Amino acid sequence: MKLFLAPLLLAALAIVLPAQAQMLTPAASANQPLDRIVAVVNEDVILQSELNDAVASVQQQYAGHTEQLPPMNVLQQQVLNRLVLMRLQVQKAQDQNIRVSDADIDQAIAGVAQQNKLTPDQLRAEVERSGASFASFRRQLGDQITVQRLHQSVVQDSVSVTDSEIDNLLSSPTYKAGEVHLAHIQITIPSGADAATIQASQAKADQAIAAIKGGMDFNAAAIRFSDASDALEGGDLGWRRMDEIPPAFADTLASLKPGEVSPALRGPTGFHILKLIDQRQSSRKMVTELHARQILIKPSELVTPAQAEQKARDLYNRIVNKHEDFATLAKENSKDDTTANLGGDMGWFAPQAWGTTIAKELGQLKDNEISQPFQSEAGWHIVQRLGSRESDQTVQIERDQARQAIGTRKSEQVYDDYLRDLRSNAYVNVLVPELRDTDSQAAPGTSP
């Protein structure tokens, strides 16, 4: 069974799920030493077994397409680089007292199980059936959640988006609507790099371009050359809005047709090679809005839950059977501070704006129908659906998307810079000569 994994957890889980089944084959255990240290990462180590597990996982992901994988020593280097970066981030998170509880991991496991239409027990059985350790599965999940929280802590105080920035983006002559499906190769320039290191990165980018022009598949080139964390996924960035792309790169993309590859582009963190896989235009955003009114009766120190329910049912009877005015009764009885003085009028709103419980009830009503009393976390409600309409929310949605795009772009830049500094200032000693990256000079803080 192939498990579906959420994007957040994919990087961690891809290393775990299928890998150890291959590691536990009789041939491997008979002919190889039990374990050895392949790299020292500050005061921690990465073992040969960890590297073997991760490499085996990548090989299984590319089963049937092994021609896209680079030579084994290069694949091992790529995988080891990913393990080193993950270890550094986990160490930094621990230094900052970022902790992940067993309950957090249990919740994540429940989410993965639900996405795969399994119970947590069935997920565990599936992991163990593949030959993997469920304890290792949990550990990888915990590391991934830890790294996500580190990312949040790094960017949350460093990234803000103003209305002026949104206005400037939307009014800019270079603003481009629509979405693009991209893949990329990133050749990182270490923080504080000297001229020789920059030249080596340029040479590596040129080598990647030459390989692609020579017929190498872009995915294979990403696995072979890219320093990005998504290299082992072929550098696939998925669909992105054009306004999320840095302007210098967006201008280059505008000149490409689907399937074409850009030259090496110099950015703040290094050289980037982009492939435009596909593109699509944005359409107008029409949203269904509802108009409704409500009466809310809340339990309190003076009103028991049973009394609140009974009062709601009495009011419903007065409206429906005695034909008393809904708005008048709402002003006199409703405990919703927002709508009571308006006769219960909730205005026009998106269906989920008042919560899923109210949305469900309104979805079952026709215009002008009144609901039976129903309960939510707030208390007992009576709602009347007054109307519905299709509203063009294109402008507001574009502003929301622009805000998100600017924030995403800033966040990525901040965290990329953070990772470069983290890697440059770390002590990383690769003990196995054939696993040392020979494509570029060692970064500062790395022992040859």
Side-chain angles (χ1 to χ4, degrees):
M1 176 183 177
K2 185 176 181 180
L3 297 178
F4 171 78
L5 305 170
L8 166 64
L9 306 175
L10 183 59
L13 300 186
I15 294 174
V16 179
L17 287 177
Q20 294 192 22
Q22 297 187 26
M23 274 299 298
L24 298 178
T25 59
S29 60
N31 300 324
Q32 295 180 4
L34 180 61
D35 227 339
R36 63 173 174 172
I37 296 173
V38 296
V40 179
V41 184
N42 290 329
E43 297 179 357
D44 203 352
V45 297
I46 294 175
L47 300 176
Q48 182 73 56
S49 59
E50 296 177 77
L51 178 60
N52 289 348
D53 284 355
V55 169
S57 174
V58 174
Q59 290 174 319
Q60 183 164 332
Q61 291 175 49
Y62 283 86
H65 301 281
T66 54
E67 73 281 355
Q68 294 188 3
L69 293 175
M72 178 55 72
N73 68 314
V74 177
L75 176 60
Q76 289 177 324
Q77 289 168 6
Q78 282 281 35
V79 173
L80 181 58
N81 287 338
R82 174 183 282 190
L83 293 176
V84 166
L85 192 57
M86 173 64 76
R87 194 64 55 89
L88 289 173
Q89 290 173 90
V90 171
Q91 290 172 359
K92 193 66 174 180
Q94 291 172 345
D95 291 344
Q96 295 181 4
N97 292 318
I98 296 174
R99 297 290 183 265
V100 175
S101 67
D102 287 341
D104 294 328
I105 299 175
D106 289 341
Q107 184 177 0
I109 287 173
V112 174
Q114 184 179 19
Q115 291 174 32
N116 288 279
K117 297 181 172 58
L118 300 172
T119 67
D121 288 341
Q122 289 171 331
L123 176 64
R124 177 173 188 148
E126 187 64 31
V127 170
E128 293 176 343
R129 185 193 63 77
S130 73
S133 160
F134 194 70
S136 178
F137 182 90
R138 288 182 60 89
R139 189 162 53 251
Q140 292 282 350
L141 267 177
D143 286 350
Q144 191 69 14
I145 298 168
T146 299
V147 169
Q148 183 201 30
R149 292 181 179 177
L150 174 67
H151 181 281
Q152 292 171 341
S153 71
V154 169
V155 304
Q156 65 184 359
D157 295 329
S158 304
V159 175
S160 62
V161 180
T162 66
D163 287 338
S164 295
E165 288 176 306
I166 296 171
D167 293 338
N168 291 339
L169 173 62
L170 295 177
S171 62
S172 169
T174 60
Y175 170 72
K176 298 176 179 66
E179 296 176 307
V180 288
H181 185 187
L182 297 178
H184 78 139
I185 295 171
Q186 176 178 312
I187 311 299
T188 300
I189 298 176
S191 178
D194 57 18
T197 301
I198 295 173
Q199 185 176 3
S201 296
Q202 174 74 72
K204 186 176 179 181
D206 293 341
Q207 188 180 0
I209 290 287
I212 294 168
K213 289 182 177 179
M216 181 179 286
D217 180 81
F218 191 92
N219 286 5
I223 299 170
R224 172 66 176 82
F225 296 103
S226 182
D227 299 322
S229 61
D230 53 21
L232 295 176
E233 286 74 55
D236 195 333
L237 292 171
W239 285 96
R240 298 210 170 187
R241 288 181 54 81
M242 283 294 289
D243 51 24
E244 291 180 359
I245 311 298
F249 294 175
D251 290 342
T252 298
L253 287 170
S255 67
L256 298 180
K257 298 177 181 178
E260 291 184 339
V261 176
S262 76
L265 307 171
R266 177 68 187 269
T269 60
F271 295 94
H272 300 263
I273 303 167
L274 304 176
K275 179 179 180 180
L276 178 60
I277 299 173
D278 201 358
Q279 61 189 106
R280 60 193 181 194
Q281 293 301 314
S282 300
S283 58
R284 300 200 70 79
K285 305 296 190 300
M286 304 302 294
V287 176
T288 299
E289 292 184 322
L290 300 177
H291 184 201
R293 56 185 178 182
Q294 72 163 335
I295 296 174
L296 171 63
I297 306 300
K298 296 181 179 180
S300 65
E301 294 181 359
L302 302 177
V303 179
T304 67
Q307 289 172 332
E309 178 183 2
Q310 186 57 54
K311 184 171 184 179
R313 297 195 181 281
D314 291 343
L315 289 170
Y316 174 79
N317 180 60
R318 291 169 64 181
I319 295 168
V320 174
N321 297 321
K322 297 184 178 180
H323 306 292
E324 294 189 39
D325 182 60
F326 190 111
T328 300
L329 292 179
K331 289 180 179 179
E332 294 174 350
N333 298 279
S334 182
K335 300 303 180 184
D336 181 71
D337 295 336
T338 305
T339 63
N341 290 334
L342 302 174
D345 197 328
M346 304 160 74
W348 288 96
F349 55 91
Q352 299 290 330
W354 289 81
T356 56
T357 303
I358 290 179
K360 180 180 178 181
E361 293 294 328
L362 289 173
Q364 298 172 354
L365 300 177
K366 298 178 182 179
D367 290 353
N368 296 315
E369 281 189 334
I370 297 172
S371 73
Q372 293 276 349
F374 63 93
Q375 189 177 23
S376 76
E377 293 180 356
W380 283 86
H381 303 260
I382 304 167
V383 295
Q384 182 180 22
R385 174 168 164 161
L386 300 176
S388 63
R389 68 183 183 189
E390 292 297 311
S391 175
D392 187 345
Q393 296 290 316
T394 304
V395 173
Q396 184 58 49
I397 290 174
E398 283 187 346
R399 290 190 65 83
D400 292 342
Q401 290 175 335
R403 182 182 298 276
Q404 181 178 358
I406 296 169
T408 298
R409 194 164 66 222
K410 287 184 175 182
S411 297
E412 289 178 348
Q413 184 63 60
V414 166
Y415 202 65
D416 280 349
D417 291 343
Y418 179 82
L419 291 182
R420 290 171 70 214
D421 289 341
L422 185 65
R423 182 66 176 83
S424 296
N425 294 321
Y427 173 81
V428 179
N429 187 4
V430 178
L431 301 178
V432 182
E434 58 267 29
L435 296 182
R436 295 173 186 154
D437 189 350
T438 58
D439 288 327
S440 61
Q441 291 188 350
T446 304
S447 295

